[in-house]
Amino acid sequence: MNNHLPSRPISWFLITVFVLIVTGTLITGFLFYQAQQKRIKSEAQNYLAAIADLKVSQIAQWRHERIADGELLRNDLPLLRTIEAFLKSSVKADRKQELLTVMKSFQIKAGYESSILFDTKGKVRLAVSRYGDSVGTRAYALFQEVLRRRKVILSDLHKSGPFLIPHMDLMVPLFPPDRNDSVLIGVFMLRIDPQVILFPLIQTWPTPSRTSETLLFEQDGDSIVYLNELRHRKNTTLTLHMPISNERLPASMAVRGIEGVVEGIDYRGVPVLAALRAIPDSPWYMIAKVDWEEIYAPLRSQVWIVIIGILLLILSAGSIIGFWWRNQHVKFYRERYANELERQALVKHFDYIIKYANDSILLVDMNGKIVETNDEACRMFGYTREELCNLYIRDILSQQTHPQDEKRMKQVEERGGLVYETEHRRKDGTVFPVEVSSRFIKIDEKRFYQSIIRDITDRKLAEEFLKESEDRFRRIFEEGPLGMATSGSDFKFIKANAAFFRMMGYEEKELTALTFKDITHPEHIAKDIESINKLLAGDIPLYRTEKRYIRKDKRAVWGATTITAIRDRNKRFLYFLAMIEDI
């Protein structure tokens, strides 16, 4: 034997193992990175969507509250009487002071920047404002729309007037206290400063973040105009415009009808993840966004940890494989011939062990000593592998079957193989039935018995139970007081008991030549056939009826009959079993 031959395969095997470990580690690291990236992206999408929904709800509620303020003002009858009296009366000092007090309350309590009263011709009759009674051209255009529509109108964000301050106007049509909607007595305008509530509501972010931002914008012709002050660019309120044609711009996507969470490039040219929403009942859109760089910041630190872990794992695997190869290489030259012979025997029988891994396998030498076994044998006999390999075959045989087993071992040697049933003994002394398939083999000029052993305790119990069941059924069938008979699918009788013969008056040979139709009154046959066919098809579990039978002497007898279909374990039909009670 050339002891140097195995060294090259061992080296290539270790190299292959190392390559597989490295490849598997790199793939695992890559998959981990992808999974973490996907998880972080999903969490960011859900987070942005939740913030966007919250902001949209808050803005819509804020707009609804402004409209509600206008409706309350419109339906305030005492205030309408005061306004009507002020606009019509020539003596206005008292009315004016009363109205000024109410209008100032809108500034102090409700947070409106200005409150202005118009008559029906658009003339400012009374104003409480930090900027005087100059309202701007947009306000007069809105005034004309209120006259036409005669309903509360909330304007868009705009700049007008001498100071060009961003604001919104709430126009409220005023009708006489008698609720005559055909007559308009004036228009009340409440001017809203978005810097007070609206912009803080938009710009606040619920958690600390370096790049997160909420944007409010609308379409202005072929461009997008941002309505609020931006976090990363100053002095942009109602001045920063971006083209709708920019398909990567999230605001452009929203205006084109896209909703949900998208990837894009924001107004700074920075990649972002953005949640797009339209504000209900308004021309506004909203974006909640965050930079990709911030989203993946935690992942970058994890990547470095993974890379370092992969490198350490690869170095460790290389060191372990190298150390193991060195030990195996040294051990190879120190192994004795006997160990090599034993290894060869185990290698040649590896296929047998794999094939019959569910059964116990024993390799026994000519002296009856167990030299090899498998895990199932250890479990079956209750020994460890070391204990079992130190025993002789006689140590696991039953005392009662020991002489027969020695004869069978000789038969195995003579015939080359033998299958037989016997009894074996476990470590705890319990005896159990087994089926043994034994062969006589030669390995390197040495002879062995190879035995495959199967525990047949359950099979023996099943056979015994089946025999007892069959005996019980036979006694019940033959000795029972009820008439019982079996028939095939052609309804021809197969067998009957003595009670049935007495009831019908036939001998056994006579009855087996008949079918159930021959002994059934004609009035019952059609119904019986229909029900028995259902029973045969499995549509009903059993068939019960009361009917008349015709005895051999032509006399009719009434019987309570129960018929069932007997099937095998595969649900195949075997025969009908009928039980009849003479009633």
Side-chain angles (χ1 to χ4, degrees), residues 299-483:
L299 183 60
R300 287 194 293 272
S301 60
Q302 294 182 15
V303 168
W304 282 111
I305 295 174
V306 171
I307 291 174
I308 294 172
I310 289 174
L311 292 176
L312 291 176
L313 184 61
I314 291 173
L315 291 174
S316 300
S319 301
I320 293 171
I321 290 175
F323 180 76
W324 183 81
W325 177 84
R326 180 180 178 279
N327 285 346
Q328 290 298 107
H329 195 69
V330 171
K331 184 179 180 181
F332 176 81
Y333 291 102
R334 294 179 179 177
E335 287 180 345
R336 294 175 298 175
Y337 177 79
N339 292 335
E340 178 62 18
L341 180 63
E342 180 180 354
R343 188 185 68 82
Q344 290 292 337
L346 295 176
V347 169
K348 289 185 178 182
H349 285 81
F350 183 73
D351 289 339
Y352 290 103
I353 295 173
I354 293 298
K355 185 175 181 181
Y356 302 104
N358 290 329
D359 295 327
S360 298
I361 301 173
L362 298 179
L363 191 65
V364 182
D365 64 16
M366 295 303 295
N367 296 321
K369 187 177 185 305
I370 300 172
V371 297
E372 189 51 63
T373 183
N374 68 344
D375 293 338
E376 181 61 21
C378 298
R379 187 197 64 78
M380 179 183 290
F381 291 101
Y383 294 95
T384 64
R385 184 178 180 279
E386 291 75 15
E387 291 174 337
L388 201 56
C389 289
N390 285 325
L391 298 179
Y392 286 80
I393 192 66
R394 62 176 176 269
D395 298 326
I396 63 171
L397 298 178
S398 169
Q399 296 295 332
Q400 291 77 9
T401 61
H402 193 179
Q404 294 88 344
D405 287 338
E406 288 184 345
K407 293 179 182 179
R408 287 165 179 156
M409 297 289 282
K410 293 180 180 179
Q411 291 175 350
V412 171
E413 184 175 355
E414 294 170 356
R415 302 178 185 179
L418 184 66
V419 178
Y420 59 93
E421 293 183 3
T422 184
E423 292 181 342
H424 281 176
R425 187 174 68 251
R426 296 188 179 90
K427 181 179 180 180
D428 60 6
T430 57
V431 176
F432 61 103
V434 295
E435 180 184 78
V436 181
S437 176
S438 187
R439 295 186 182 188
F440 186 71
I441 59 176
K442 290 184 178 181
I443 303 175
D444 293 335
E445 303 304 323
K446 287 191 174 183
R447 298 179 297 174
F448 297 90
Y449 297 99
Q450 178 205 293
S451 297
I452 300 172
I453 305 166
R454 177 172 297 173
D455 186 347
I456 59 172
T457 302
D458 292 339
R459 189 172 79 189
K460 289 294 185 182
L461 291 174
E463 290 173 354
E464 183 178 349
F465 178 80
L466 180 60
K467 184 176 181 302
E468 292 176 358
S469 297
E470 290 174 347
D471 290 340
R472 285 196 299 270
F473 178 79
R474 180 180 52 79
R475 289 196 299 271
I476 292 171
F477 185 90
E478 294 177 355
E479 301 171 8
L482 297 179

Side-chain angles (χ1 to χ4, degrees), residues 15-279:
I15 292 172
T16 302
V17 170
F18 180 72
V19 170
L20 291 175
I21 290 175
V22 172
T23 304
T25 303
L26 293 176
I27 291 174
T28 302
F30 177 73
L31 294 177
F32 172 79
Y33 173 81
Q34 281 193 324
Q36 290 295 99
Q37 187 181 46
K38 184 176 180 181
R39 179 186 62 80
I40 290 174
K41 180 179 179 180
S42 177
E43 290 177 353
Q45 288 175 332
N46 295 335
Y47 179 62
L48 284 176
I51 290 177
D53 290 337
L54 175 63
K55 293 292 183 182
V56 167
S57 175
Q58 290 175 336
I59 294 171
Q61 180 65 25
W62 179 85
R63 289 178 59 89
H64 176 74
E65 289 172 355
R66 303 289 73 75
I67 299 294
D69 287 347
E71 294 294 340
L72 288 173
L73 180 60
R74 179 182 177 182
N75 294 292
D76 190 339
L77 297 181
L79 180 61
L80 291 175
R81 293 190 186 99
T82 302
I83 292 173
E84 184 179 35
F86 170 76
L87 294 175
K88 291 182 178 181
S89 175
S90 58
V91 182
K92 302 178 180 179
D94 295 339
R95 302 296 184 185
K96 180 179 179 180
Q97 188 59 43
E98 185 178 350
L99 284 176
L100 286 173
T101 302
V102 173
M103 294 168 71
K104 288 179 180 179
S105 70
F106 284 109
Q107 286 183 312
I108 298 171
K109 297 180 180 180
Y112 289 98
E113 186 272 327
S114 302
S115 54
I116 298 172
L117 177 63
F118 295 89
D119 60 19
T120 56
K121 295 181 180 180
K123 181 180 179 181
V124 176
R125 302 297 298 274
L126 204 60
V128 176
S129 173
R130 288 178 294 174
Y131 307 107
D133 57 1
S134 177
V135 295
T137 57
R138 291 287 293 271
Y140 284 111
L142 191 64
F143 173 83
Q144 295 299 327
E145 185 177 354
V146 170
L147 292 182
R148 185 178 69 258
R149 296 173 59 184
R150 293 175 177 262
K151 61 182 292 186
V152 177
I153 296 177
L154 179 64
S155 76
D156 195 5
L157 267 168
H158 60 276
K159 292 180 180 180
S160 65
F163 301 100
L164 294 180
I165 303 298
H167 61 270
M168 297 173 66
D169 294 328
L170 179 66
M171 286 287 190
V172 183
L174 303 176
F175 298 98
D178 59 4
R179 315 310 297 161
N180 184 0
D181 290 350
S182 63
V183 178
L184 193 69
I185 63 173
V187 176
F188 207 98
M189 185 182 81
L190 294 174
R191 178 154 287 179
I192 303 165
D193 183 357
Q195 301 286 353
V196 176
I197 295 178
L198 180 60
F199 285 173
L201 183 68
I202 297 168
Q203 293 166 338
T204 55
W205 197 265
T207 59
S209 173
R210 292 184 294 103
T211 64
S212 299
E213 185 178 12
T214 307
L215 310 176
L216 191 67
F217 58 94
E218 65 181 2
Q219 182 176 356
D220 183 13
D222 295 332
S223 65
I224 294 160
V225 58
Y226 292 92
L227 304 180
N228 64 303
E229 188 72 11
L230 304 181
R231 178 176 185 177
H232 305 291
R233 190 174 295 182
K234 301 304 179 184
N235 300 320
T236 54
T237 303
L238 293 171
T239 60
L240 179 61
H241 288 72
M242 300 291 288
I244 294 178
S245 58
N246 185 352
E247 296 183 354
R248 293 286 289 157
L249 185 69
S252 175
M253 299 180 193
V255 170
R256 296 199 307 272
I258 299 174
E259 280 206 1
V261 181
V262 300
E263 301 176 28
I265 306 296
D266 74 350
Y267 59 89
R268 302 168 295 158
V270 175
V272 295
L273 185 67
L276 314 180
R277 296 289 188 273
I279 306 297

Side-chain angles (χ1 to χ4, degrees), residues 473-486 495-504 511 544-545 549 558-563 577-583:
F473 178 79
R474 180 180 52 79
R475 289 196 299 271
I476 292 171
F477 185 90
E478 294 177 355
E479 301 171 8
L482 297 179
M484 301 177 71
T486 60
K495 190 176 181 181
N497 65 355
F500 189 85
F501 291 136
R502 290 193 301 271
M503 183 177 176
M504 299 302 166
L511 192 65
R544 291 193 179 97
T545 185
Y549 290 91
W558 281 88
T561 305
T562 301
I563 302 174
L577 174 63
M579 294 175 286
I580 304 102
E581 179 183 5
D582 187 348
I583 60 173

